[in-house]
Amino acid sequence: MEEGLRENSRSFTFSLVNEDHTLANAVRFTLNQNPMVELCAYSIPHPSDNIVNIAIQSTDKSAKAVFNDGLQDLRSMCQIVRDSFDKSVNDFRAELQESSESKN
Amino acid sequence: MPRISVLDMPDVPNGQLPPHIQLQKTRVFCEKNAPTHTDYVQHHGSYTSMDVHESLIENFHNNFKVNVIRLTSDVIEFDMIGIDASLANAFRRILISELPTMAIEKVYFVNNTSVIPDEVLSHRLGLIPLDADPRLFEYISDESSSSSNERNTIVFKLNVFCKDNDKRISVKSNQLKWLPKGSQLNSETDGGGNEYTSFRCSQDSPEFSHKPIGLKHDDIIIAKLGPGQAIELEAHAVKGIGKTHAKWSPVSTAWYRMLPEIVLMKEIENEMAEKLVKKCPVNVFDIEDLGAGRKKAVVSNPRACTLCRECIRDEGWEERVSLRRVKNHFIFTIESTGSLPPEVLFTEAVKILEEKCEAVIHELSF
Ligand code: SF4
């Protein structure tokens, strides 16, 4: 799924097979928010290849560790989204029920 | 002469962006000819020179909010506040093309004397939404590519004919009959006796599914038959994703828009106010009575704005009305085709993004 083009450990390009803008753009966002990241960008070399390249240059840690952090951040953001979404749906249902009960 | 640092600017508040930059960062300006400041500055160090270091991730837990606006059995509308477009778009893309559903993929014809050719009829059958929970099924290619069993295939039968002297009839989706025990056709090549599916148990057993599998809508017209015409076929539905073919997409639409924000830059009074209220086709503006015969325009319903820009089209109005969109406030709408309720679809989509992350994290650990 992933292979790197090794230049040095702080500058790395990761190629993800079978991924597209969905993951690459989201992880680029979380990486760019990370103070360890000097540069992060992604590209899809050709639209008919199912491959996406993510380039990362980091300051303190190795690019691989930073990439890992970015993915962890994205995953925890997803969990927060899921939790607050579930909570809102439940609240909305409870409210609906209350209002329909008070009508009866 | 005392030395003064260039960064020491007393009129610029430290640790805070100047108001116009803050506005450009958080709003899209919808101007007459084109929108401006459409991008979101993502890099953490972009405002370092102004001593602003804010990270969306650190405060995400506190700032992120979801408000459900509308929820029915197949539509949900909700506000997602405090998230970046890249994530909102990832969820939308996954909803459309990467969430699995069941759809008819193979059709075995026994007889078709209707005017619709086999391949067109098969295509029509494929697009019919099925009422089956895809989470109960596996992909057919997962283990063995050839064997269809109760874990990966749903079989429907259609057997209709129009009698010789009858009127023309419509074949509707409710005439498709579910076969929980699998295919009833015999394969010709193996000298008969061999069915196209090998079900080990019936799909209507309670441990398999709580409700019988069927079609979401009973009144979809599949074909029309004239006197003497007949269709007999068996349709096999399998699990797939929208990337392969749109028939597997679980949503009819999944889309978002940013929250409109309309600001009146000047007081708009009397006839001008009336004019403004009349300009807007969706009644965004309203009139407030100031007493003494004076009236003033107010923005009463910005959410309804469709951004048609009619209110700023005429000469001079662009200075009075400013149309903006809030960059981190998304109004998300999901319309399900029926296999799963819309709120479940969204949580499943978020789970898929998590799984993608986990898969790459796993790869990185080697
Ligand atoms: S842009 Fe169109 S919909 Fe929005 S306020 Fe102006 S006239 Fe109304």
Side-chain angles (χ1 to χ4, degrees):
Chain A
M1 188 172 194
E2 159 267 331
E3 78 202 37
L5 301 177
R6 190 175 296 274
E7 286 148 33
N8 68 53
S9 74
R10 297 215 186 125
S11 169
F12 225 79
T13 301
F14 299 90
S15 297
L16 306 185
V17 180
N18 286 331
E19 290 296 348
D20 56 7
H21 301 279
T22 307
L23 182 66
N25 195 16
V27 81
R28 183 187 64 170
F29 166 73
T30 56
L31 280 166
N32 267 321
Q33 299 280 312
N34 186 340
M36 305 260 193
V37 174
E38 207 162 53
L39 177 145
C40 170
Y42 83 92
S43 84
I44 292 178
H46 192 276
S48 60
D49 288 343
N50 55 352
I51 194 169
V52 52
N53 292 332
I54 302 177
I56 299 169
Q57 284 176 23
S58 58
T59 51
D60 290 356
K61 285 190 191 173
S62 74
K64 199 170 166 182
V66 164
F67 188 34
N68 195 40
D69 290 350
L71 290 160
Q72 301 275 11
D73 281 342
L74 180 57
R75 191 174 58 170
S76 54
M77 279 175 95
C78 284
Q79 273 157 1
I80 295 169
V81 169
R82 199 143 53 89
D83 291 346
S84 18
F85 179 79
D86 286 346
K87 198 175 151 288
S88 301
V89 169
N90 288 339
D91 288 352
F92 184 79
R93 286 229 174 88
E95 232 168 78
L96 264 193
Q97 201 155 15
E98 250 171 52
S99 65
S100 72
E101 270 168 16
S102 62
K103 260 182 221 153
N104 294 338
Chain B
M1 219 172 104
R3 288 182 154 230
I4 299 172
S5 153
V6 272
L7 290 177
D8 192 17
M9 295 176 283
D11 51 336
V12 176
N14 238 357
Q16 204 180 321
L17 290 178
H20 68 288
I21 296 190
Q22 180 67 22
L23 207 59
Q24 288 170 1
K25 187 182 166 210
T26 57
R27 302 287 187 270
V28 176
F29 290 78
C30 304
E31 281 154 27
K32 209 164 165 180
N33 300 318
T36 53
H37 305 289
T38 51
D39 53 342
Y40 181 75
V41 180
Q42 284 186 338
H43 194 254
H44 63 91
S46 305
Y47 300 107
T48 312
S49 63
M50 284 173 243
D51 209 17
V52 173
H53 312 270
E54 51 177 37
S55 159
L56 211 141
I57 296 178
E58 276 164 32
N59 306 321
F60 187 66
H61 188 74
N62 300 325
N63 295 343
F64 182 69
K65 263 208 302 276
V66 175
N67 288 333
V68 180
I69 309 289
R70 182 158 61 105
L71 175 62
T72 66
S73 61
D74 39 38
V75 183
I76 188 169
E77 184 180 333
F78 60 96
D79 285 13
M80 248 191 336
I81 308 157
I83 199 167
D84 186 66
S86 59
L87 266 94
N89 196 38
F91 299 144
R92 184 191 63 85
R93 286 172 63 96
I94 292 173
L95 277 165
I96 292 172
S97 69
E98 289 181 58
L99 267 184
T101 56
M102 304 295 289
I104 291 171
E105 167 72 352
K106 282 201 187 104
V107 179
Y108 299 92
F109 282 91
V110 177
N111 185 16
N112 177 15
T113 53
S114 75
V115 289
I116 303 182
D118 293 2
E119 66 275 18
V120 180
L121 190 55
S122 312
H123 183 248
R124 288 180 70 78
L125 289 168
L127 293 167
I128 296 172
L130 303 180
D131 190 7
D133 189 340
R135 291 172 295 186
L136 298 171
F137 294 90
E138 292 160 1
Y139 291 101
I140 197 157
S141 55
D142 270 1
E143 289 148 35
S144 50
S145 54
S146 58
S147 96
S148 305
N149 60 39
E150 76 285 355
R151 290 251 144 236
N152 57 27
T153 308
I154 304 173
V155 182
F156 290 96
K157 181 175 89 171
L158 180 67
N159 191 358
V160 284
F161 61 93
C162 184
K163 284 202 211 83
D164 263 341
N165 298 316
D166 262 5
K167 278 214 214 102
R168 254 185 305 170
I169 58 163
S170 298
V171 182
K172 301 232 171 123
S173 50
N174 62 355
Q175 283 168 294
L176 276 169
K177 289 282 166 287
W178 175 42
L179 300 178
K181 293 191 175 61
S183 173
Q184 294 173 342
L185 293 179
N186 293 328
S187 133
E188 284 162 16
T189 47
D190 291 333
N194 204 352
E195 287 174 352
Y196 284 99
T197 54
S198 43
F199 280 24
R200 282 170 298 232
C201 72
S202 170
Q203 280 173 339
D204 55 4
S205 53
E207 63 269 25
F208 199 84
S209 161
H210 306 293
K211 55 174 189 185
I213 293 165
L215 296 124
K216 193 63 195 172
H217 304 282
D218 282 341
D219 53 353
I220 301 170
I221 296 178
I222 299 172
K224 297 217 170 184
L225 295 182
Q229 296 178 346
I231 297 174
E232 189 183 348
L233 58 84
E234 215 176 74
H236 292 199
V238 299
K239 187 171 173 175
I241 58 171
K243 217 185 240 177
T244 320
H245 190 290
K247 69 184 172 185
W248 279 299
S249 183
V251 293
S252 49
T253 53
W255 56 285
Y256 57 77
R257 61 195 183 109
M258 286 180 277
L259 181 75
E261 183 186 72
I262 296 148
V263 180
L264 301 179
M265 306 303 278
K266 296 177 186 164
E267 289 279 304
I268 301 174
E269 292 185 0
N270 301 334
E271 314 92 75
M272 290 297 255
E274 306 239 351
K275 239 192 222 167
L276 181 62
V277 171
K278 273 213 202 88
K279 275 177 195 285
C280 179
V282 290
N283 300 323
V284 165
F285 304 101
D286 209 348
I287 288 195
E288 195 183 284
D289 238 315
L290 294 175
R294 282 173 64 226
K295 286 176 281 186
K296 149 182 139 178
V298 287
V299 181
S300 60
N301 188 15
R303 217 184 149 88
C305 176
T306 58
L307 221 73
C308 65
R309 297 176 214 197
E310 183 61 27
C311 54
I312 55 169
R313 196 165 62 103
D314 289 333
E315 202 60 47
W317 282 93
E318 210 173 358
E319 291 90 67
R320 298 191 185 100
V321 183
S322 170
L323 301 172
R324 302 170 189 167
R325 306 226 127 182
V326 183
K327 278 184 199 171
N328 67 353
H329 186 138
F330 297 94
I331 303 171
F332 219 105
T333 312
I334 301 169
E335 280 178 25
S336 163
T337 53
S339 62
L340 288 173
E343 72 277 13
V344 178
L345 286 178
F346 185 77
T347 26
E348 292 291 316
V350 181
K351 272 188 209 159
I352 286 186
L353 189 58
E354 278 171 52
E355 281 161 21
K356 280 175 183 287
C357 291
E358 269 153 35
V360 181
I361 289 170
H362 181 72
E363 288 286 327
L364 279 177
S365 62
F366 293 116

